Amino acid sequence: MRTRLQLEGERGPYASAREAVEATLTKAYGGVDRVTPGWIDMRSGAQKIEDVEDDPELSYRVSLPPQHAGGMPAQAVLQLETYRGGRLLRRDALPVRLHRMASVWLATRAVAPGEALDPSAFERREIDVAGLPETVDAAAPWADGWRARTRIAEGAPLLRSGMQLLPGVSRGRSVTAVAAAGQVRLTLPGTALQDGQSGAWVRVRLAGQRETVMAQVESSGHVEVK
């Protein structure tokens, strides 16, 4: 991660427009996923700032429109207010391009839906994550025990919305079923008819039986008929 700003509390107006912009963006986005804004391009608003920043009597405030109150968009329009001696001189709409650099897992090949996530199919790389459809936790460890919920294209980042936990048992796969009656415990082979995480109830067909039974997933590949 690249951390450029650390701001505690609020203060202002600010002595420079750029300082006001960066402080506002840090307050709005700096706490998201432990990653603060990396840098800011002023785009069409740059000339407005340069025109007035040589006057030491000027001060500035910046606000974000309500639609930018959360998340980390790639584009934003800030409201820049310029003051002299506490009196408002002008208001400007300031388009900016936001950047957030974070080290994330990128797919080195296409990953099919339902495929178990394997670190050999991904590489860690620092990219600009502003504008992604969801926030990214750069401190998250590798996702052991997960599979792809949807197709992950080569070069695409691994996002939480595209993942789901691997089931303890999978539909169509063999399972070991345990049935207890008093002090007697029977172990029988069977086939899971549903996916299920540990603790979930799934329908199972025991070997040699036409009827199905409900069983609780105990661990990977093991269920208990109760």
Side-chain angles (χ1 to χ4, degrees):
M1 292 180 292
R2 294 180 185 171
T3 301
R4 178 174 180 177
L5 297 169
Q6 291 183 345
L7 185 70
E8 294 183 2
E10 275 189 81
R11 63 186 182 88
Y14 293 86
S16 76
R18 180 172 288 274
E19 183 185 14
V21 168
E22 292 184 338
T24 299
L25 294 176
T26 297
K27 180 185 175 186
Y29 304 122
V32 179
D33 290 331
R34 309 180 183 90
V35 187
T36 59
W39 66 81
I40 303 160
D41 297 332
M42 290 302 179
R43 299 182 61 202
S44 61
Q47 190 60 45
K48 296 177 184 177
I49 291 177
E50 292 168 1
D51 286 345
V52 297
E53 280 196 338
D54 58 354
D55 187 339
E57 295 184 7
L58 295 180
S59 58
Y60 307 88
R61 289 185 186 275
V62 172
S63 60
L64 279 168
Q67 63 265 31
H68 295 305
M72 183 62 180
Q75 309 285 342
V77 179
L78 311 182
Q79 303 304 315
L80 173 65
E81 296 180 346
T82 304
Y83 295 83
R84 178 182 284 118
R87 183 172 63 89
L88 177 64
L89 294 183
R90 59 188 289 181
R91 288 189 178 94
D92 293 298
L94 185 65
V96 295
R97 168 67 168 91
L98 306 181
H99 302 270
R100 171 169 288 151
M101 301 305 295
S103 179
V104 300
W105 290 102
L106 298 180
T108 55
R109 62 170 177 80
V111 179
E115 182 180 343
L117 296 179
D118 187 329
S120 66
F122 293 83
E123 65 178 2
R124 196 82 170 179
R125 191 186 304 169
E126 187 178 71
I127 64 169
D128 186 354
V129 299
L132 288 181
E134 62 187 72
T135 55
V136 175
D137 186 352
W142 172 253
D144 271 329
W146 294 73
R147 65 181 179 182
R149 184 191 303 273
T150 57
R151 183 180 183 275
I152 303 173
E154 181 178 353
L158 180 60
L159 301 177
R160 180 64 181 82
S161 60
M163 303 158 47
Q164 60 185 179
L165 282 169
L166 283 168
V169 299
S170 300
R171 180 180 179 181
R173 296 295 182 90
S174 297
V175 296
T176 298
V178 175
Q183 300 297 316
V184 178
R185 291 176 63 85
L186 299 177
T187 300
L188 304 169
T191 302
L193 303 182
Q194 297 171 288
D195 290 347
Q197 304 293 340
S198 179
W201 289 85
V202 296
R203 192 166 295 279
V204 174
R205 177 173 287 112
L206 300 177
Q209 303 293 319
R210 297 184 60 184
E211 300 296 324
T212 62
V213 298
M214 295 300 296
Q216 189 172 28
V217 181
E218 295 295 317
S219 59
S220 179
H222 291 77
V223 299
E224 184 171 354
V225 181
K226 298 181 180 181

